[in-house]
Amino acid sequence: MSLKHDIEFTLNGVTKRLTVDVTMNALDMLRDVVGLTGTKYGCGEGECGACTVRVDGETRNSCLMFAVDLDGRDIVTIEGLAADPKADALRDAFVEHGAVQCGFCTPGMVMQAAHILDTNPDADANAIKRGLEGNLCRCTGYKKIVDAVESACCGGR
Amino acid sequence: MNVAEKPVIAPESLIGQRIQKKDAPEKAAGKTRYIQDMIVPGVLHAKILRSSRVHAKIKSIDTSAAKALPGVHVVLTAADVPDQQPIGVARDHLPLKGERVRSLRDEIAAVAADSEEIAEAALRLIRVEYEDLPIVATPEDAIKPGAPLIHPVPLAADGQPKALPPKTPIAFAGKPDNIAMRFDYTHGDVAQAEAESDVVVEDTFQLHYVTHCCMGVSGVIAEFDASGNLLMYSNTQVPFLHKREFAEYLNIDPSRVRIIQPPIGGGFGSKLDIYPFEVICIFLARAAKRPVKMVFTREEEFLASPTRQPVLLTLRSGCKKDGTLTFRQVHTLHDNGAYTSWGATTPFVMMQTFSSLYRVPACDYHTTVVYTNNPYAGSFRGYGNLQATFAIEQHMDMLAEKIGMDPLNFRIKNAQDAGEVTGQGMSFKSCGFKECLTTAAERSDYRKKHADNLANRDAPGPVKRGIGMASMLHVGGGAKIYPSDGCGTILKLDDFANVTLITGASEIGQGSETVLSQLVCEELGLPISAVTVVNNDTAITPWDVGVHASRTTFIAGNSAIGAARKAKAKILAAAAKKHGCDEAMLDLRGGFVVVAETGEPVVELARLMRNLHFSDKAELVMTTFYYEPPSVHQDKGFKGDVSAAYAWATQVVEVEVDTDTGIVKMTKVTGTHDVGRVLNRLGLEGQIEGGVVMGQGYALTENLIVENGVTRNPNFRDYKLVTAPEIPEMDITFVESMDGEGPQGAKGVGEAPSICIAAAAANAIYNATGVRIFGLPFTPEAVYRALRGKAEKPNWQAWKSA
Ligand code: FES
Ligand code: FES
């Protein structure tokens, strides 16, 4: 029998109380237990960034965290970000600049891009590229993603 | 709005605009539901047990403990599905393997359970006893006399080959050798052309394994209704072909198979074939009488999805002193892997490049595709053309150097023009090749940089700069491989002049929904937002052959235009009748019927729709169109005009080579593409940029390492995709050759941008260092060795005789 554990955390601004298997990772919990599927599985090993969420203000690969690690913390997923009017400009920039193709990497990209904007609102293209280094995209060749984030940076200036 | 207050409406075109992708807002908000995200009530979760041996006989499989595990519903092995039919191009592949495994990915058993965890636990309880067989690890080994056979002919009790009815598939009848397929093509007299040549070069090139790495892993959901109808949620790129084939495997009427495609997390050719996991999922659903979902892990995706085909290729080329090409002779050895998928048929495309990219009076092309115990190769964006172009475009530089001619001039001299019909029967109705060459060269300052880099080769410092170019030819108007290469469209307008565009063409992220909407709106004078696209359900959409061969914009685009024009004719006729004017004088603009010449509005389109609908005649505007391109099937000698149009491109790559470390940095790519006409500039740029970076990965970083049949790096840590900081500066421009058959003049371009990069990079490295590298990828280690004269030279003589 696997061990269960009670956790409580803030998810997109709402307090959440859950009992989770101690072996479950945070990504599976978000997707399968909570039912928020915007956060994607791309590798499960911290190599692709598709599962990026914000934990206490920092972006993290949710596939590398245990669900129990979220206890007492503040989590924002793409669903939370999408509901935040402050993030509209960033999402619009992704749309306008053609930064989305198949879209599978996009939620993770948007999460990471929002983090770049928060922590370095004056980021130039090189800083943005470095900031997105941990997020893989197979479709776009990254250029339009970088353009989108750059325009959102400048737009916010 | 009242027509009276509406000012005149000037003509406006959507063509060439930057149109935002229709599905982008949903995707950027994380709301798009991919197959991984789908929940079907009552669904079971499936996992596959794969072989732990590369080549072995299966002596026994014991599933009793797995079956006894609580939460397990079904465990299947080959013995449970005695009716299973072989899949694949050559019908050599049974989804569940019962007697023999031929590669590490081979499927031995499958479990459907209440959860993925339980299914995985059940797999660990399955006991398989193997008897190892000798491994055929390379194609060179596969064709040695006495090589172990991958698909041996089954023997009867008397030791003689079993008597089987004719046309028994290879999966049951076996093969007396390891040759999966052969391709032979010739035009002109190669021997004579060689005799007339002033310069001849011959080299062997080695192309490696790479794989698609779609960010969304493979997945499928299968379920049967109470009447035995099959519903599949599938990521396939070819829903209508699958519908037919699944029906065949299940021995049911194709009309009882329905395929729904949720949004797809990347395709690139990986989803063109039927794979064992899909058939197995159907078997599980049939046995469990419940919906069954199967989703790969990333490791499984690396191990068990198709690859680009590794190729060993020897090219012999000649020219005259004045720079006229004389001949090409090509021998290739393709590693098929253990089973045959579309990868085996890439010579169709490769030979086009050899025979027809440049004017060449004689061409002789031979491919042998052989079975090995390696992962099997599928179709991948570019379909063999990356491999062919890698060889041919290096030889273009080498020949030019030998005769002392500028490599750009040498190419221009031999480049195709519009009006040309090649030795292979390809007819170039539109061709902007020369303009691609000169534009890319000018924009990149190719000539000057090429000369400067040569002069600076021996300058002090470890970092050398290089510039290199390569060009490509690829089908741009579909490819007539199946009996039909067409696509159907159904168009309907509602009472508010909103359009539902029902198309057979699938969206795989490339933006087909958007460009098709754009083409329809161009005809009907409506904003893109007026269109809803329905494109993912075989029960609704008309037939289409699938997303491949860069065909969707061209074929589905022409189909959509056809339906829209019929609708427009109907609308204008109705307006003319109602308002007592000549329909030839009317046009559609901005949601109104207008007088074409003045732009004066006649009636609001939505109002006209309602008038038609709620009149005595009670009519709706609904049209259908099926577009079949005017291409032809090739004959047995592979000759024929197989595509309705051909796309061209030249790409110039600039690199910095650190000669101390072997690290190659791709600093800039200047690409000029003959796309016929730019439709959606935003989407087009996105396709090109994404393709360029995929080509960069092929050239520099990606390498699926397969040793003795074992894939050594099935993860993103060791299989290196290009990341954001590594991308080159990109200068992308377009040549608009206005193809007469293309939708608004456009040609397909989806595959084109990946094709030239590795070849151009090879030429750039040579320009920087004076060292030519004949194998991919250009990893630091490979380059470091090559710079020190230690490159491993592919051994062509070893297998040429075969
Ligand atoms: S799924 Fe977490 S980094 Fe790839
Ligand atoms: S848009 Fe497809 S992976 Fe990034």
Side-chain angles (χ1 to χ4, degrees):
Chain A
M1 269 284 87
S2 49
L3 224 49
K4 304 271 187 192
H5 199 84
D6 293 334
I7 54 172
E8 185 176 311
F9 55 96
T10 310
L11 178 60
N12 301 330
V14 177
T15 305
K16 197 101 202 164
R17 210 173 281 163
L18 287 174
T19 304
V20 293
D21 204 306
V22 292
T23 58
M24 176 173 272
N25 72 42
L27 173 63
D28 288 349
M29 182 205 75
L30 288 170
R31 291 179 53 83
D32 301 341
V33 180
V34 183
L36 292 183
T37 55
T39 308
K40 301 298 180 205
Y41 165 90
C43 69
E45 304 187 317
E47 295 288 336
C48 77
C51 64
T52 303
V53 297
R54 196 188 283 164
V55 180
D56 291 340
E58 291 290 326
T59 46
R60 300 283 298 268
N61 290 327
S62 60
C63 70
L64 291 184
M65 299 182 80
F66 286 111
V68 292
D69 287 340
L70 300 186
D71 193 25
R73 303 173 86 167
D74 181 24
I75 320 301
V76 179
T77 67
I78 185 69
E79 289 86 354
L81 193 77
D84 179 355
K86 281 198 307 246
D88 285 357
L90 179 60
R91 194 182 53 241
D92 291 349
F94 266 68
V95 176
E96 268 161 41
H97 285 84
V100 181
Q101 287 188 26
C102 83
F104 205 85
C105 70
T106 312
M109 286 284 181
V110 172
M111 290 303 296
Q112 187 61 21
H115 182 68
I116 296 170
L117 295 188
D118 280 352
T119 51
N120 185 6
D122 295 326
D124 63 6
N126 279 331
I128 293 165
K129 285 181 191 170
R130 278 197 307 280
L132 296 174
E133 182 165 15
N135 291 70
L136 297 177
C137 174
R138 191 53 153 168
C139 301
T140 64
Y142 304 104
K143 180 161 181 281
K144 297 212 178 301
I145 297 174
V146 176
D147 290 350
V149 182
E150 206 180 356
S151 85
C153 278
C154 298
R157 234 171 246 161
Chain B
M1 188 184 290
N2 198 317
V3 171
E5 16 176 281
K6 180 81 188 169
V8 297
I9 308 172
E12 242 179 77
S13 176
L14 292 166
I15 304 303
Q17 304 291 320
R18 305 178 79 81
I19 311 283
Q20 293 170 11
K21 208 161 174 296
K22 283 179 86 73
D23 54 2
E26 284 287 295
K27 286 175 170 173
K31 289 191 185 212
T32 302
R33 285 187 205 104
Y34 300 84
I35 198 151
Q36 293 84 355
D37 309 326
M38 285 186 55
I39 297 172
V40 174
V43 77
L44 300 176
H45 300 269
K47 287 280 166 193
I48 288 174
L49 180 73
R50 298 177 187 280
S51 172
S52 61
R53 306 299 172 88
V54 174
H55 195 192
K57 280 190 179 146
I58 299 174
K59 298 196 69 182
S60 67
I61 310 173
D62 179 1
T63 58
S64 51
K67 280 182 173 149
L69 189 71
V72 170
H73 290 246
V74 181
V75 182
L76 291 182
T77 66
D80 302 306
V81 282
D83 58 338
Q84 67 169 335
Q85 295 299 314
I87 59 172
V89 189
R91 296 287 182 265
D92 57 4
H93 192 182
L94 287 169
L96 281 164
K97 284 74 178 170
E99 286 164 16
R100 181 189 273 255
V101 288
R102 299 174 178 83
S103 69
L104 265 192
R105 52 157 297 161
D106 278 18
E107 298 78 1
I108 295 178
V111 176
D114 285 335
S115 70
E116 283 191 29
E117 291 69 33
I118 296 173
E120 267 159 18
L123 293 189
R124 290 193 290 273
L125 296 173
I126 298 173
R127 296 282 163 263
V128 184
E129 243 190 297
Y130 301 95
E131 181 187 315
D132 282 318
L133 294 166
I135 295 169
V136 179
T138 66
E140 296 95 312
D141 286 347
I143 50 175
K144 280 187 187 141
L149 293 177
I150 309 296
H151 294 273
V153 175
L155 299 181
D158 60 359
Q160 291 302 306
K162 240 191 213 160
L164 291 165
K167 294 205 171 150
T168 302
I170 293 170
F172 304 122
K175 279 222 118 192
D177 55 29
N178 286 328
I179 312 281
M181 283 191 187
R182 280 188 199 276
F183 294 82
D184 302 291
Y185 165 82
T186 302
H187 78 247
D189 183 339
V190 169
Q192 193 194 328
E194 175 157 1
E196 288 165 7
S197 305
D198 295 317
V199 173
V200 172
V201 288
E202 178 177 316
D203 293 284
T204 296
F205 302 84
Q206 186 148 31
L207 291 311
H208 62 311
Y209 275 110
V210 294
T211 185
H212 304 74
C213 296
C214 302
M215 290 311 295
V217 289
S218 301
V220 66
I221 301 171
E223 70 176 296
F224 287 88
D225 70 11
S227 317
N229 298 313
L230 170 64
L231 170 61
M232 289 183 79
Y233 296 94
S234 161
N235 279 343
T236 180
Q237 295 178 228
V238 286
F240 288 94
L241 303 185
H242 275 199
K243 183 176 154 82
R244 221 190 97 181
E245 287 181 48
F246 283 128
E248 202 178 306
Y249 302 144
L250 298 169
N251 201 14
I252 59 176
D253 190 297
S255 62
R256 294 175 62 189
V257 179
R258 177 179 178 191
I259 296 177
I260 295 178
Q261 298 152 283
I264 296 173
F268 315 114
S270 63
K271 297 165 173 72
L272 271 195
D273 208 350
I274 283 186
Y275 299 108
F277 78 92
E278 295 164 319
V279 182
I280 290 169
C281 199
I282 296 173
F283 290 158
L284 289 168
R286 187 172 65 179
K289 299 200 165 38
R290 293 264 293 265
V292 175
K293 176 174 178 176
M294 189 182 303
V295 173
F296 279 12
T297 62
R298 177 56 64 185
E299 185 185 26
E300 210 172 8
E301 186 79 10
F302 270 107
L303 296 174
S305 39
T307 68
R308 197 184 285 290
Q309 38 301 129
V311 171
L312 207 49
L313 184 158
T314 290
L315 172 62
R316 193 170 168 81
S317 321
C319 69
K320 294 188 183 166
K321 274 204 213 89
D322 69 355
T324 314
L325 278 176
T326 46
F327 79 98
R328 299 187 194 287
Q329 188 164 43
V330 192
H331 287 87
T332 88
L333 187 63
H334 278 50
D335 188 340
N336 199 38
Y339 306 98
T340 309
S341 179
W342 292 118
T345 67
T346 49
F348 274 120
V349 171
M350 297 177 72
M351 65 175 75
Q352 291 173 1
T353 290
F354 289 109
S355 76
S356 305
L357 170 59
Y358 295 98
R359 273 179 280 114
V360 57
C363 176
D364 188 31
Y365 177 97
H366 304 281
T367 284
T368 309
V369 185
V370 298
Y371 288 114
T372 64
N373 291 117
N374 290 328
Y376 70 94
S379 52
F380 193 168
R381 190 184 205 172
Y383 215 90
N385 211 351
L386 286 76
Q387 295 93 319
T389 303
F390 183 71
I392 212 169
E393 282 289 329
Q394 291 203 64
H395 262 196
M396 289 306 281
D397 263 26
M398 293 165 80
L399 287 171
E401 191 179 6
K402 285 230 168 187
I403 57 169
M405 195 165 170
D406 171 87
L408 174 62
N409 290 348
F410 181 54
R411 287 179 170 88
I412 292 172
K413 186 174 170 68
N414 292 289
Q416 299 283 6
D417 274 314
E420 202 91 30
V421 178
T422 76
Q424 210 182 336
M426 298 155 82
S427 163
F428 300 137
K429 282 142 235 149
S430 65
C431 174
F433 186 12
K434 285 182 181 163
E435 212 179 326
C436 288
L437 278 164
T438 51
T439 309
E442 266 164 38
R443 292 185 71 95
S444 61
D445 204 5
Y446 172 83
R447 274 206 182 94
K448 176 167 186 316
K449 285 183 185 163
H450 194 263
D452 289 353
N453 294 334
L454 268 180
N456 289 334
R457 256 188 205 161
D458 299 322
V463 177
K464 311 285 179 201
R465 285 173 200 282
I467 189 166
M469 69 160 51
S471 298
M472 71 103 224
L473 149 72
H474 204 76
V475 294
K480 198 153 281 182
I481 306 298
Y482 302 94
S484 166
D485 191 33
C487 173
T489 303
I490 302 170
L491 200 75
K492 66 183 180 94
L493 274 79
D494 70 7
D495 296 339
F496 311 96
N498 290 310
V499 178
T500 304
L501 166 63
I502 307 172
T503 172
S506 306
E507 168 76 35
I508 54 171
Q510 84 282 40
S512 68
E513 289 175 359
T514 309
V515 82
L516 296 179
S517 301
Q518 189 188 358
L519 290 168
V520 165
C521 291
E522 182 72 8
E523 299 301 324
L524 300 182
L526 291 169
I528 304 272
S529 58
V531 182
T532 301
V533 181
V534 176
N535 58 356
N536 67 349
D537 184 344
T538 58
I540 298 168
T541 58
W543 195 89
D544 174 73
V545 78
V547 193
H548 62 83
S550 307
R551 66 184 283 285
T552 297
T553 295
F554 194 98
I555 307 285
N558 273 332
S559 177
I561 290 176
R565 289 198 177 146
K566 278 166 98 173
K568 182 175 181 175
K570 193 168 176 184
I571 292 164
L572 295 187
K577 192 158 168 228
K578 190 158 172 37
H579 295 272
C581 45
D582 179 1
E583 62 184 85
M585 295 172 61
L586 299 178
D587 198 3
L588 293 174
R589 275 177 216 164
F592 283 79
V593 179
V594 299
V595 178
E597 199 161 308
T598 60
E600 198 184 314
V602 176
V603 58
E604 192 185 5
L605 185 56
R607 173 179 288 264
L608 179 68
M609 291 296 100
R610 289 194 292 273
N611 286 342
L612 270 176
H613 184 184
F614 302 117
S615 69
D616 293 348
K617 280 185 72 189
E619 265 190 280
L620 293 179
V621 176
M622 297 183 288
T623 61
T624 64
F625 196 82
Y626 187 76
Y627 175 75
E628 179 71 38
S631 45
V632 299
H633 290 101
Q634 291 178 335
D635 62 18
K636 287 213 166 66
F638 301 107
K639 290 181 184 166
D641 196 16
V642 74
S643 183
Y646 298 89
W648 306 86
T650 299
Q651 287 172 329
V652 177
V653 165
E654 292 173 59
V655 298
E656 285 174 11
V657 184
D658 185 330
T659 54
D660 283 348
T661 61
I663 292 174
V664 176
K665 215 173 124 188
M666 199 171 282
T667 52
K668 185 168 180 191
V669 173
T670 308
T672 305
H673 287 254
D674 170 11
V675 297
R677 188 170 184 201
V678 178
L679 298 178
N680 179 0
R681 191 171 295 273
L682 191 65
L684 177 58
E685 284 174 4
Q687 281 292 298
I688 305 287
E689 289 164 9
V692 164
V693 172
M694 195 177 260
Q696 179 189 9
Y698 185 62
L700 300 184
T701 66
E702 293 179 40
N703 187 15
L704 193 71
I705 302 167
V706 180
E707 286 173 358
N708 247 341
V710 180
T711 302
R712 295 290 181 197
N713 55 343
N715 58 66
F716 284 134
R717 193 177 53 254
D718 302 317
Y719 183 97
K720 291 267 180 232
L721 291 184
V722 173
T723 60
E726 298 160 273
I727 63 169
E729 183 190 340
M730 288 182 255
D731 173 21
I732 312 292
T733 48
F734 304 110
V735 169
E736 298 197 301
S737 60
M738 296 299 292
D739 190 83
E741 182 65 24
Q744 297 283 357
K747 301 191 273 195
V749 73
E751 296 170 275
S754 305
I755 291 170
C756 301
I757 300 291
N763 287 338
I765 291 171
Y766 180 79
N767 179 234
T769 65
V771 175
R772 206 156 261 297
I773 312 181
F774 297 96
L776 281 176
F778 302 135
T779 57
E781 189 190 343
V783 173
Y784 183 92
R785 279 170 180 276
L787 292 177
R788 283 152 187 80
K790 300 231 168 65
E792 284 169 35
K793 265 244 163 185
N795 182 3
W796 149 252
Q797 290 307 336
W799 54 270
K800 192 176 182 181
S801 48

Short mmCIF file of all heavy atoms in Angstrom, two decimals, chain B residues 16 70 83 87 175 180 206 213 241 349 422 437 513 578 580 628 631 708 717 720 745 759 772:
data_model
loop_
_atom_site.label_atom_id
_atom_site.label_comp_id
_atom_site.label_asym_id
_atom_site.label_seq_id
_atom_site.Cartn_x
_atom_site.Cartn_y
_atom_site.Cartn_z
N GLY B 16 -0.93 37.58 -48.56
CA GLY B 16 0.36 38.18 -48.21
C GLY B 16 0.35 38.88 -46.87
O GLY B 16 1.38 39.39 -46.42
N PRO B 70 -4.84 -7.06 -9.06
CA PRO B 70 -6.09 -6.31 -8.97
C PRO B 70 -6.01 -5.03 -9.80
O PRO B 70 -4.99 -4.34 -9.79
CB PRO B 70 -6.20 -5.97 -7.48
CG PRO B 70 -5.35 -6.98 -6.79
CD PRO B 70 -4.25 -7.33 -7.74
N ASP B 83 -5.96 -13.54 -35.06
CA ASP B 83 -6.39 -12.96 -36.34
C ASP B 83 -5.61 -11.71 -36.70
O ASP B 83 -5.93 -11.03 -37.65
CB ASP B 83 -7.88 -12.62 -36.26
CG ASP B 83 -8.20 -11.65 -35.11
OD1 ASP B 83 -7.39 -11.58 -34.15
OD2 ASP B 83 -9.23 -10.95 -35.17
N ILE B 87 1.00 -5.05 -40.49
CA ILE B 87 0.88 -3.64 -40.87
C ILE B 87 2.12 -3.22 -41.65
O ILE B 87 3.07 -3.99 -41.76
CB ILE B 87 0.69 -2.74 -39.63
CG1 ILE B 87 1.89 -2.87 -38.67
CG2 ILE B 87 -0.59 -3.06 -38.91
CD1 ILE B 87 1.87 -1.87 -37.51
N LYS B 175 11.37 -13.71 -45.89
CA LYS B 175 12.16 -13.24 -47.04
C LYS B 175 13.44 -14.03 -47.09
O LYS B 175 14.07 -14.25 -46.06
CB LYS B 175 12.51 -11.76 -46.86
CG LYS B 175 11.42 -10.81 -47.21
CD LYS B 175 12.01 -9.64 -47.98
CE LYS B 175 11.44 -9.56 -49.38
NZ LYS B 175 12.14 -8.66 -50.26
N ALA B 180 14.93 -5.36 -48.18
CA ALA B 180 13.53 -4.97 -48.02
C ALA B 180 12.97 -4.38 -49.30
O ALA B 180 11.85 -4.68 -49.70
CB ALA B 180 13.39 -3.96 -46.88
N GLN B 206 27.77 9.65 -45.10
CA GLN B 206 27.08 8.85 -44.11
C GLN B 206 26.10 9.71 -43.32
O GLN B 206 26.49 10.70 -42.71
CB GLN B 206 28.09 8.22 -43.15
CG GLN B 206 27.43 7.25 -42.20
CD GLN B 206 28.36 6.12 -41.83
OE1 GLN B 206 29.57 6.30 -41.78
NE2 GLN B 206 27.80 4.95 -41.57
N CYS B 213 10.90 13.90 -32.28
CA CYS B 213 10.80 14.65 -31.02
C CYS B 213 9.63 15.62 -31.00
O CYS B 213 9.79 16.79 -30.61
CB CYS B 213 12.08 15.43 -30.74
SG CYS B 213 13.51 14.40 -30.49
N LEU B 241 -6.78 7.29 -44.60
CA LEU B 241 -6.06 6.05 -44.91
C LEU B 241 -6.16 5.11 -43.72
O LEU B 241 -6.35 3.90 -43.87
CB LEU B 241 -4.60 6.34 -45.25
CG LEU B 241 -4.37 7.32 -46.41
CD1 LEU B 241 -2.90 7.43 -46.72
CD2 LEU B 241 -5.14 6.89 -47.64
N VAL B 349 11.86 10.38 -53.33
CA VAL B 349 12.18 11.80 -53.27
C VAL B 349 13.67 12.02 -53.55
O VAL B 349 14.05 12.94 -54.27
CB VAL B 349 11.80 12.37 -51.89
CG1 VAL B 349 12.33 13.79 -51.72
CG2 VAL B 349 10.29 12.33 -51.72
N THR B 422 12.33 17.51 -66.93
CA THR B 422 13.58 16.83 -66.59
C THR B 422 13.59 15.40 -67.10
O THR B 422 12.55 14.87 -67.53
CB THR B 422 13.81 16.81 -65.07
OG1 THR B 422 12.94 15.81 -64.50
CG2 THR B 422 13.51 18.15 -64.45
N LEU B 437 18.82 31.58 -55.87
CA LEU B 437 20.28 31.56 -55.78
C LEU B 437 20.85 32.97 -55.67
O LEU B 437 21.64 33.26 -54.76
CB LEU B 437 20.85 30.88 -57.03
CG LEU B 437 20.88 29.35 -57.06
CD1 LEU B 437 21.09 28.84 -58.48
CD2 LEU B 437 21.96 28.80 -56.13
N GLU B 513 -5.59 25.52 -40.76
CA GLU B 513 -6.92 26.11 -40.51
C GLU B 513 -6.93 27.57 -40.91
O GLU B 513 -7.89 28.07 -41.48
CB GLU B 513 -7.24 26.06 -39.00
CG GLU B 513 -7.51 24.68 -38.50
CD GLU B 513 -7.71 24.68 -36.97
OE1 GLU B 513 -7.60 25.73 -36.31
OE2 GLU B 513 -7.96 23.59 -36.47
N LYS B 578 -32.28 39.46 -57.20
CA LYS B 578 -33.10 40.21 -56.26
C LYS B 578 -33.03 41.72 -56.52
O LYS B 578 -34.00 42.42 -56.37
CB LYS B 578 -32.63 39.90 -54.84
CG LYS B 578 -33.56 40.43 -53.77
CD LYS B 578 -33.37 39.67 -52.48
CE LYS B 578 -34.13 40.26 -51.32
NZ LYS B 578 -35.41 40.81 -51.52
N GLY B 580 -31.98 43.12 -59.36
CA GLY B 580 -32.14 43.47 -60.77
C GLY B 580 -30.89 44.01 -61.41
O GLY B 580 -30.93 45.03 -62.08
N GLU B 628 -8.61 17.55 -57.26
CA GLU B 628 -7.60 16.53 -57.57
C GLU B 628 -6.54 17.22 -58.43
O GLU B 628 -6.86 17.78 -59.47
CB GLU B 628 -8.27 15.38 -58.35
CG GLU B 628 -7.33 14.25 -58.75
CD GLU B 628 -6.86 13.40 -57.56
OE1 GLU B 628 -7.68 13.15 -56.65
OE2 GLU B 628 -5.68 13.02 -57.55
N SER B 631 -1.54 16.10 -61.46
CA SER B 631 -0.28 15.36 -61.49
C SER B 631 -0.55 13.93 -61.93
O SER B 631 -1.70 13.51 -62.02
CB SER B 631 0.35 15.38 -60.09
OG SER B 631 -0.64 15.09 -59.12
N ASN B 708 24.62 -1.61 -31.75
CA ASN B 708 24.21 -3.00 -31.64
C ASN B 708 22.72 -3.16 -31.38
O ASN B 708 22.29 -4.00 -30.59
CB ASN B 708 24.98 -3.68 -30.50
CG ASN B 708 25.91 -4.73 -31.08
OD1 ASN B 708 25.74 -5.18 -32.22
ND2 ASN B 708 26.88 -5.15 -30.29
N ARG B 717 18.29 14.89 -22.48
CA ARG B 717 19.59 15.28 -21.93
C ARG B 717 20.70 14.86 -22.88
O ARG B 717 21.62 15.60 -23.15
CB ARG B 717 19.79 14.64 -20.55
CG ARG B 717 20.95 15.21 -19.76
CD ARG B 717 21.05 14.59 -18.38
NE ARG B 717 21.07 13.13 -18.44
CZ ARG B 717 20.04 12.34 -18.11
NH1 ARG B 717 18.91 12.87 -17.68
NH2 ARG B 717 20.13 11.04 -18.22
N LYS B 720 20.28 15.95 -28.17
CA LYS B 720 20.30 17.41 -28.03
C LYS B 720 19.46 18.10 -29.09
O LYS B 720 19.87 18.18 -30.24
CB LYS B 720 21.73 17.91 -28.15
CG LYS B 720 22.62 17.52 -26.98
CD LYS B 720 22.63 18.61 -25.94
CE LYS B 720 23.50 18.24 -24.77
NZ LYS B 720 22.80 18.38 -23.50
N GLY B 745 -1.71 31.17 -56.55
CA GLY B 745 -0.33 31.15 -57.04
C GLY B 745 0.67 30.50 -56.12
O GLY B 745 1.86 30.43 -56.41
N ALA B 759 23.73 20.48 -45.63
CA ALA B 759 24.61 20.57 -46.80
C ALA B 759 25.34 21.91 -46.83
O ALA B 759 26.55 21.97 -47.07
CB ALA B 759 23.78 20.38 -48.07
N ARG B 772 36.75 18.83 -45.49
CA ARG B 772 35.41 18.41 -45.89
C ARG B 772 34.99 17.23 -45.02
O ARG B 772 35.75 16.29 -44.83
CB ARG B 772 35.43 18.00 -47.36
CG ARG B 772 34.09 18.17 -47.97
CD ARG B 772 34.09 18.35 -49.45
NE ARG B 772 33.97 19.74 -49.88
CZ ARG B 772 32.92 20.51 -49.65
NH1 ARG B 772 31.90 20.07 -48.96
NH2 ARG B 772 32.89 21.75 -50.09
#
